C-alpha cells in the first residue's frame, strides 16, 4: 500500500506534465469548437440555402466519422496533400472540427430556444436584428447553452486521450512511459483516471454554479 | 379633429403562396380614435396588424402613418418606435424584470439615459396599475400582469398608434377585466388604437367603429350602435350571433 502511494507521488510531476498538455489540448479544441460552431450556427440560422446545406453536410460528416479515424486521417493523410501538422496540432484540428459540429448544434438549439414572440416584440420596439440578438436572444441563449456545453466539454476532455494514438505526449501517454519503466500499471492508471475525474467533475461543478447563478427567477423552480 | 388621418391603409393585399390572406383592405384611423376589428379566425386580422408595422410585408397597397409610407420606407425601425404593438402571447423578455422590460426600448432603442429610463418605466408601470412589481420577472407574474407590463412597455416609447392583437385571448377569464380596464382608460385618454378583439363589451363601450373582416376583406365597418342593432350584411349578423353564443352578451 505504501508502495502504491510512493509510486504515485514519484510519478506525479511527470503525470502533471501530461495533464498540462491535456488541458492545453482541451482548451484549444473547446475554443476551436466554440468559434467554428458559432459560425456554423449563424450560417445555419441566418444563411442562404446553399450555406445551410453546406453546414448540414459538414455536420453529417463530422458526426459520422469516428474520432480516431479523424485523427489518423488528419495526421497521416493530410501530408499527402501537402499539409503537415505536428501530432499536437493534428489532434487539435481533428478533434476541433468534430467539436465544432456539435457546438454548432448546441448554439443553434440555444438561439432557437428563445421564443419567436420575444423576437417579434423586440422588432416592434424598433430594435434592429443586431440589437434583438444582443439584448434579447444572446442573454437567454447563453443560459440554455451552459448545460449541453458542460456535457460537450466533458466529452472533449476525455477524448483528448485519443491523441495518444498519434503520439501526442498527453496525460495517458506520460502514464504509459512511467508504466514501461516501473511496470506498475494499476496505480498509474488509477492516478490517471483520478486526474481525468477531477478535471471533468471540477469544471462540471463550476459550470453548474454558473448556471444556478444565471437562473431566471420563476423559471424552472 | 379634422385634417389628415393618422393611419391610412389603402388597398392592402397579401398572399402566402397562393393563399390570399388580405384581399384589398382599406381603412383609416383619425387621431384619438379607437377602432375594433372582429372576424373569424384565420381571416387575416393578425396579418393586417403585422402589415401596419411591416412585420409582414404586403404585396400591394400603401400604408401611411401621417407622412410616412410604411411598406416602402427606408428606416422601418424608426417607424416601429411610433407604433406600439401588444400581442396575444405578451412577448415579454424572460430574462428581464418588469421594470427592465419597460426600460429596454428606452435605453437601447431611444438611447435614453438610464436614470431617466428608470423613472419613465416606473411611471408607465404605475399607469397600468403595476406599482410594486417592478423587480419581478415575467415568470413570476400572472397573465393579466404580463399583458399590462407589455402595454406599459409599448406606451413607454410614446407611440402615436397602438395596435392590439387579441390582447386578452390568452388570459384566464378572471384576468381579462384588468387588461380591458387599462385599454379603456387608454382610449379615453385619446390614444389612437386599432384593436383586434372579440370582447364585445369593450367594443361596444369604447370603439368609435367596428370593422368586420372575413376572408381578407372588410365586409362591414360601422359604429358599434349600428353594428349591434342593425348590421347591413347578413354575414355580419351571423357572425355576431355566433360570437354571442361564444362569449355571451358582453354588456358593460
Ligand atoms: N407567415 C405565414 N406563412 C404562411 N401562412 C400564413 C402566415 N401567416 C399567416 N398565414 C395564414 O394566413 C391566414 C390568416 O392568418 P392570420 O392573419 O393570423 O388570421 P387571424 O389573425 O384573422 O386569425 C391563415 O390561414 C394563416 O394560416
Ligand atoms: Mg390572429
Amino acid at each position: 500500500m505504501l508502495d502504491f502511494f510512493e509510486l504515485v507521488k514519484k510519478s506525479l510531476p511527470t503525470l502533471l506534465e501530461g495533464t498540462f498538455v491535456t488541458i492545453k489540448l482541451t482548451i484549444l479544441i473547446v475554443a476551436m469548437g466554440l468559434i467554428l460552431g458559432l459560425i456554423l450556427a449563424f450560417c445555419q440560422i441566418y444563411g442562404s440555402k446553399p450555406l445551410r446545406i453546406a453546414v448540414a453536410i459538414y455536420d453529417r460528416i463530422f458526426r459520422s466519422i469516428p474520432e480516431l479515424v479523424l485523427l489518423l486521417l488528419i495526421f497521416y493523410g493530410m501530408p499527402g496533400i501537402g499539409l503537415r501538422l505536428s501530432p499536437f496540432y493534428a489532434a487539435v484540428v481533428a478533434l476541433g472540427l468534430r467539436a465544432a459540429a456539435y457546438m454548432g448544434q448546441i448554439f443553434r438549439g440555444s438561439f432557437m430556444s428563445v421564443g419567436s414572440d420575444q423576437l417579434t416584440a423586440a422588432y416592434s420596439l424598433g430594435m434592429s436584428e443586431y440589437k434583438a440578438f444582443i439584448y434579447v436572444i444572446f442573454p437567454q441563449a447563453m443560459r440554455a447553452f451552459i448545460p449541453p456545453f458542460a456535457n460537450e466539454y466533458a466529452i472533449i476532455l476525455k477524448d483528448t486521450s485519443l491523441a495518444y494514438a498519434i503520439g501526442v505526449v498527453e496525460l495517458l501517454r506520460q502514464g504509459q512511459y512511467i508504466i514501461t519503466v516501473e511496470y506498475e500499471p494499476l496505480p498509474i492508471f488509477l492516478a490517471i483516471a483520478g486526474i481525468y475525474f477531477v478535471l471533468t467533475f471540477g469544471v462540471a461543478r463550476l459550470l453548474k454554479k454558473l448556471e444556478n447563478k444565471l437562473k431566471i427567477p420563476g423559471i424552472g423552480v | 379633429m379634422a385634417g389628415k388621418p393618422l393611419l391610412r391603409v389603402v388597398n392592402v393585399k397579401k398572399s402566402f403562396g397562393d393563399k390570399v390572406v388580405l384581399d384589398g383592405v382599406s381603412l383609416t384611423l383619425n387621431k384619438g380614435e379607437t377602432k375594433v376589428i372582429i372576424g373569424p379566425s384565420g381571416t387575416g386580422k393578425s396579418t393586417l396588424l403585422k402589415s401596419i408595422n411591416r412585420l409582414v410585408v404586403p404585396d400591394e397597397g400603401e400604408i401611411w402613418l401621417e407622412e410616412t409610407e410604411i411598406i416602402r420606407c427606408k428606416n422601418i425601425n424608426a417607424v416601429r418606435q411610433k407604433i406600439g404593438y401588444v400581442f396575444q402571447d405578451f412577448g415579454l423578455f424572460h430574462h428581464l424584470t418588469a421594470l427592465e422590460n419597460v426600460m429596454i426600448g428606452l435605453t437601447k432603442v431611444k438611447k435614453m439615459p438610464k436614470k431617466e429610463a428608470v423613472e419613465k418605466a416606473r411611471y408607465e408601470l404605475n399607469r397600468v396599475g403595476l406599482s410594486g412589481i417592478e423587480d419581478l420577472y415575467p415568470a413570476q407574474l400572472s397573465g393579466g400582469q404580463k399583458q399590462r407590463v407589455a402595454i406599459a412597455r409599448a406606451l413607454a416609447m410614446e407611440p402615436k398608434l397602438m395596435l392590439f392583437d387579441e390582447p386578452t385571448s390568452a388570459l384566464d377569464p378572471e384576468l381579462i377585466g384588468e387588461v380591458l380596464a387599462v385599454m379603456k382608460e387608454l382610449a379615453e385618454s385619446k390614444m389612437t388604437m386599432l384593436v383586434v378583439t372579440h370582447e364585445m363589451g369593450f367594443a361596444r363601450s369604447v370603439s368609435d367603429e367596428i370593422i368586420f373582416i372575413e376572408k381578407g376583406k372588410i365586409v362591414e365597418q360601422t359604429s358599434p350602435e349600428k353594428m349591434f342593432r342593425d348590421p347591413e350584411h347578413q354575414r355580419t349578423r351571423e357572425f355576431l350571433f355566433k360570437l354571442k353564443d361564444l362569449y355571451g352578451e358582453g354588456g358593460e
Side-chain angles (χ1 to χ4, degrees), chain B residues 82-106:
Chain B
K82 297 181 194 158
I83 302 176
Y85 209 126
V86 177
F87 306 89
Q88 180 175 336
D89 48 9
F90 325 123
L92 290 184
F93 307 129
H94 295 344
H95 62 304
L96 301 177
T97 62
L99 190 75
E100 290 165 342
N101 261 282
V102 181
M103 281 172 63
I104 192 164
L106 299 173

Side-chain angles (χ1 to χ4, degrees), chain B residues 13-23 41-44 47 59 214-216:
Chain B
K13 296 187 181 176
K14 176 71 186 177
S15 303
F16 291 110
D18 52 12
K19 183 174 168 53
V20 180
V21 174
L22 293 178
D23 193 7
S41 116
T43 225
T47 306
D59 304 325
E214 193 173 49
K215 296 189 185 132

Side-chain angles (χ1 to χ4, degrees), chain B residues 143-157:
Chain B
Q145 291 174 324
K146 280 185 206 172
Q147 194 57 296
R148 284 187 284 156
V149 173
I151 294 173
R153 177 177 65 182
L155 289 177
M157 302 297 281

Side-chain angles (χ1 to χ4, degrees), chain A residues 88-189:
Chain A
F88 180 86
Y89 283 106
V92 169
V93 170
L95 300 179
L97 288 173
R98 187 216 67 102
Y102 283 85
M103 294 276 197
Q105 285 311 310
I106 298 175
F107 272 121
R108 180 161 173 266
S110 337
F111 294 154
M112 303 296 247
S113 76
V114 182
S116 65
D117 61 318
Q118 294 188 53
L119 259 188
T120 314
Y123 297 147
S124 302
L125 286 173
M127 284 194 196
S128 59
E129 279 198 14
Y130 170 76
K131 278 185 184 167
F133 181 82
I134 296 294
Y135 300 119
V136 176
I137 298 185
F138 186 75
Q140 295 180 70
M142 193 182 67
R143 293 164 161 100
F145 183 76
I146 295 171
F149 171 78
N151 196 38
E152 182 58 24
Y153 157 80
I155 293 172
I156 290 172
L157 172 75
K158 288 184 285 185
D159 288 355
T160 56
S161 61
L162 290 168
Y164 170 98
I166 55 171
V168 179
V169 189
E170 38 66 75
L171 176 55
L172 185 59
R173 183 162 285 270
Q174 286 287 18
Q176 274 293 359
Y177 288 160
I178 299 169
I179 290 165
T180 44
V181 175
E182 306 283 348
Y183 209 70
E184 284 282 4
L186 184 64
I188 300 302
F189 278 134

Side-chain angles (χ1 to χ4, degrees), chain B residues 161-175:
Chain B
L161 168 68
M162 286 285 287
L163 305 174
F164 292 84
D165 193 355
E166 307 211 34
T168 58
S169 310
L171 299 179
D172 293 334
E174 72 271 19
L175 301 176

